[in-house]
Amino acid sequence: MNTSHVVVVMGVAGTGKTTVGPLLATRLGVPYAEADDFHPQANIDKMSAGVPLTDEDRLPWLDAIGGWAHERAGLGGVVSCSALKRSYRDRLRAAAPDVVFLHLTGDRALIEDRMAHRKGHFMPTALLDSQFATLQPLEPDETGVAVDVAGTPEEVTGQAVASLAALLEPAP
């Protein structure tokens, strides 16, 4: 499957956005961008200290991601971004109206276990509750699909490709 869409891989911390995102980009033949790379240092410092970001903290980050998605419009791309709130997704769509969301979902215990075993990431497990409290799943009027993260990264990516193809490819 090739796509000219920009896919935003969203979900709470620990769902595998940074793992599935590059795999999905490879399968789609498009570039990948890591949302964490768009954070200003102040945000990274805050999260590293176990302090959840405010909506105001997130605005420059969302705008930078939206700018990348806008530049890739019509060319395709995959970018990871938690995009936990509808207002965040609306902001991304304001910059890049044709973005498509891939919501990685999963059981809290599984996600917490994965977070506890990852190395070198600034997001502590202690912030997982705030992530779930903030999460607003995709609404029916938002273009996107949800895929459960139980399974290997390759299996999740395969499910994502199939779900996106069903969503984006016109029926024969």
Side-chain angles (χ1 to χ4, degrees), residues 105-146:
T105 65
D107 175 73
R108 191 197 182 289
L110 171 67
I111 293 168
E112 183 175 24
D113 182 64
R114 287 181 178 178
M115 283 183 76
H117 290 95
R118 66 184 182 180
K119 307 274 188 267
H121 197 277
F122 56 79
M123 176 68 85
T125 305
L127 291 182
L128 189 57
D129 287 334
S130 73
Q131 293 261 303
F132 273 105
T134 302
L135 176 64
Q136 296 171 344
L138 290 173
E139 296 180 25
D141 66 325
E142 295 183 274
T143 304
V145 296

Side-chain angles (χ1 to χ4, degrees), residues 6-147:
V6 174
V7 179
V8 177
V9 181
M10 64 169 281
V12 300
T15 53
K17 296 181 297 290
T18 301
T19 301
V20 172
L23 293 172
L24 180 63
T26 298
R27 291 276 301 269
L28 299 178
V30 296
Y32 171 73
E34 169 56 51
D36 290 343
D37 295 341
F38 293 92
H39 272 299
Q41 187 61 44
N43 285 6
I44 293 171
D45 293 345
K46 215 172 175 180
M47 289 184 286
S48 296
V51 179
L53 298 179
T54 65
D55 285 351
E56 187 174 317
D57 293 329
R58 288 184 178 90
L59 295 181
W61 174 66
L62 290 166
D63 290 343
I65 293 167
W68 185 88
H70 176 79
E71 290 173 8
R72 296 297 313 162
L75 302 171
V78 173
V79 61
S80 61
C81 175
S82 54
L84 298 178
K85 289 185 178 181
R86 169 70 188 246
S87 62
Y88 305 164
R89 297 187 299 270
D90 288 346
R91 193 166 185 105
L92 293 172
R93 272 192 299 272
D98 293 329
V99 296
V100 175
F101 294 93
L102 168 61
H103 182 185
L104 298 180
T105 65
D107 175 73
R108 191 197 182 289
L110 171 67
I111 293 168
E112 183 175 24
D113 182 64
R114 287 181 178 178
M115 283 183 76
H117 290 95
R118 66 184 182 180
K119 307 274 188 267
H121 197 277
F122 56 79
M123 176 68 85
T125 305
L127 291 182
L128 189 57
D129 287 334
S130 73
Q131 293 261 303
F132 273 105
T134 302
L135 176 64
Q136 296 171 344
L138 290 173
E139 296 180 25
D141 66 325
E142 295 183 274
T143 304
V145 296
V147 173

